[in-house]
Amino acid sequence: MGKNYLDNIAIVGSGLAGLTLAISLAKKGIVSTIYEKENEDNLGGMGIQITPNGSRILSKLGVEEPLREIASKVESITALDGLTSRRLFSLELNQFSKGDELGYFTCHRGKLIRILCNKAMDLGVRFCFGKKITPQGLSPHGVGFSSDDGEEFHASLLIGADGYGSQISQILNPAGEKHKTDFVALRGLVPTEKLRKTEFANGVNLYMYPAQHLVTYGIDMGKVLNVVAIRPFEHLVDTEMDPETIKAGFKYFQFLESLLANATEIRTNLLYKGIIQPQWFAGKICLCGDALHPMPPFLAQGGNMAMEDGWVLASSLCNNLNLTDALNLFKSKRQQRLERMVKYTNSQAWINHLQGGLMYQLRNTTMTLADRTVPSLISSRYSWIYKGI
Ligand SMILES: Cc1cc2nc3c(=O)[nH]c(=O)nc-3n(C[C@H](O)[C@H](O)[C@H](O)COP(=O)(O)OP(=O)(O)OC[C@H]3O[C@@H](n4cnc5c(N)ncnc54)[C@H](O)[C@@H]3O)c2cc1C
């Protein structure tokens, strides 16, 4: 039934969305090609939290064994008032996965991507690294695209898994919502041997300050502390992504300076409000991952949702339907969950960045009270996410 769109699938982007899609297709006997603008040895990143919904997909992809060598299992997320160090709530994470599952873990993103690339290569997925792709347009038989070095390509189906700022998304959504920078993130990797004991608690720790927050967790088997500090973007100050300027804006983080003093790597990221692009697909082009729904990391779900997308898109494409029906199936399976996810993530931005004063105190009191009396209220905010697809 018109399934020749599976003959020559091109996936743009070797991130979590693109790799999950390629591996899932390959496991069903469909070989695709991944075009990635970076070189193979430059697919890094810093720490990443993989939540049970994402780790279940990774298990289905067949990478559980190598992952166990790089994954640090997380037992709890603890939220603290940064000003007083008072615990606001703690979420036990073992309730969201079975004992033998990978569950909630943290790791270095670059190592996770390497494991997925190896798996994809073993399954015969073709990779074209160092190719920055620009789509040329639609044709009745497929889609043409070229790379920045002038090479021309053709595919029966083009998947835009090219992340935030996706060029492919811009073709489908030329009048798409223009993003205003909302937040700025300062990230650092610090060897734990260089830290004082008080600077490193187990699990994922979320320190909430007026209008700012800080997340820390261990990666590389606890040898490295991943630090993510986030505050609103100040339009008059943060014109350049200079780490020193960005750092100076974190006025409540007395210990951020000392925490990052021994960082082996520091990066900055601009963050934007979560949205879902209006046009998911057109003709023989479809979006997934951040290209479809960029979202800030306040619930650590951008990468996890990207993997869910890749998995569901592969199963929709292999459903013996014509292309439009297959892509509509993908959309119908993902839309409700993604809309809820974006809504929750944006509301978490508000919760994490209250300015202080009455609302700040009210939030802290509510969290502390819920933690002591109805912890199920807190878990219910996360359980639908971690339960997965
Ligand atoms: C500070 C911070 C912390 C985060 N923490 C978490 C977390 O803990 N957990 C979580 O799940 N998510 C987290 N995220 C979000 C997560 O990183 C993204 O949502 C996720 O990486 C999206 O995956 P993707 O495959 O859609 O896109 P990407 O990972 O962005 O991959 C896109 C790929 O496409 C390539 N590409 C782009 N354009 C082209 C082109 N024209 N031609 C060829 N290749 C191209 C890029 O080089 C890249 O390799 C965080 C994000 C930030 C900023």
Side-chain angles (χ1 to χ4, degrees), residues 111-157:
K111 293 184 179 170
L112 169 60
I113 293 286
R114 185 68 259 165
I115 286 174
L116 290 172
C117 281
N118 290 348
K119 182 72 187 182
M121 285 170 184
D122 286 351
L123 292 170
V125 173
R126 292 176 289 254
F127 280 83
C128 294
F129 288 108
K131 299 279 178 202
K132 185 171 182 193
I133 297 301
T134 309
Q136 286 167 345
L138 301 166
S139 87
H141 309 296
V143 55
F145 53 100
S146 57
S147 56
D148 50 352
D149 54 6
E151 212 174 325
E152 305 223 329
F153 305 94
H154 190 267
S156 53
L157 174 62

Side-chain angles (χ1 to χ4, degrees), residues 74-331:
V74 182
E75 307 282 338
S76 62
I77 301 174
T78 305
L80 303 118
D81 177 359
L83 296 177
T84 60
S85 297
R86 194 162 56 106
R87 172 175 134 167
L88 301 176
F89 71 82
S90 183
L91 179 68
E92 293 308 315
L93 296 168
N94 286 336
Q95 61 182 305
F96 302 111
S97 54
K98 296 193 199 100
D100 55 342
E101 288 182 329
L102 276 169
Y104 198 123
F105 71 87
T106 56
C107 66
H108 193 291
R109 179 186 176 275
K111 293 184 179 170
L112 169 60
I113 293 286
R114 185 68 259 165
I115 286 174
L116 290 172
C117 281
N118 290 348
K119 182 72 187 182
M121 285 170 184
D122 286 351
L123 292 170
V125 173
R126 292 176 289 254
F127 280 83
C128 294
F129 288 108
K131 299 279 178 202
K132 185 171 182 193
I133 297 301
T134 309
Q136 286 167 345
L138 301 166
S139 87
H141 309 296
V143 55
F145 53 100
S146 57
S147 56
D148 50 352
D149 54 6
E151 212 174 325
E152 305 223 329
F153 305 94
H154 190 267
S156 53
L157 174 62
L158 182 73
I159 307 293
D162 48 340
Y164 177 76
S166 157
Q167 289 197 358
I168 298 168
S169 178
Q170 277 159 30
I171 293 213
L172 263 52
N173 297 284
E177 199 174 317
K178 292 284 169 285
H179 264 155
K180 181 171 98 19
T181 311
D182 281 318
F183 297 97
V184 62
L186 180 69
R187 317 168 79 178
L189 295 181
V190 192
T192 44
E193 61 181 20
K194 303 269 186 193
L195 294 169
R196 290 195 300 266
K197 229 181 164 173
T198 47
E199 290 173 330
F200 181 42
N202 283 331
V204 172
N205 291 286
L206 163 65
Y207 303 85
M208 296 198 196
Y209 295 80
Q212 304 180 350
H213 81 269
L214 171 72
V215 177
T216 62
Y217 53 84
I219 60 170
D220 289 347
M221 300 302 159
K223 289 198 192 89
V224 174
L225 185 71
N226 185 82
V227 178
V228 187
I230 297 180
R231 64 168 172 80
F233 180 80
E234 290 174 41
H235 289 265
L236 294 176
V237 182
D238 299 323
T239 45
E240 285 176 34
M241 291 303 285
D242 163 38
E244 289 308 315
T245 315
I246 303 295
K247 211 190 308 172
F250 285 97
K251 54 184 176 228
Y252 291 103
F253 295 177
Q254 281 122 357
F255 69 109
L256 189 64
E257 190 73 46
S258 77
L259 198 56
L260 293 179
N262 292 308
T264 52
E265 201 175 335
I266 291 191
R267 288 193 193 183
T268 52
N269 290 91
L270 295 178
L271 304 175
Y272 310 83
K273 198 172 138 233
I275 59 156
I276 301 180
Q277 296 293 357
Q279 181 106 310
W280 292 43
F281 57 87
K284 292 181 165 63
I285 304 183
C286 180
L287 304 173
C288 71
D290 270 12
L292 174 64
H293 47 72
M295 65 179 80
F298 302 128
L299 289 168
Q301 284 304 311
N304 288 289
M305 289 295 125
M307 289 190 282
E308 288 189 7
D309 284 357
W311 178 264
V312 174
L313 182 53
S315 81
S316 304
L317 290 173
C318 296
N319 225 329
N320 216 22
L321 298 167
N322 68 46
L323 180 59
T324 309
D325 289 347
L327 297 180
N328 271 318
L329 179 64
F330 166 61
K331 185 172 178 180

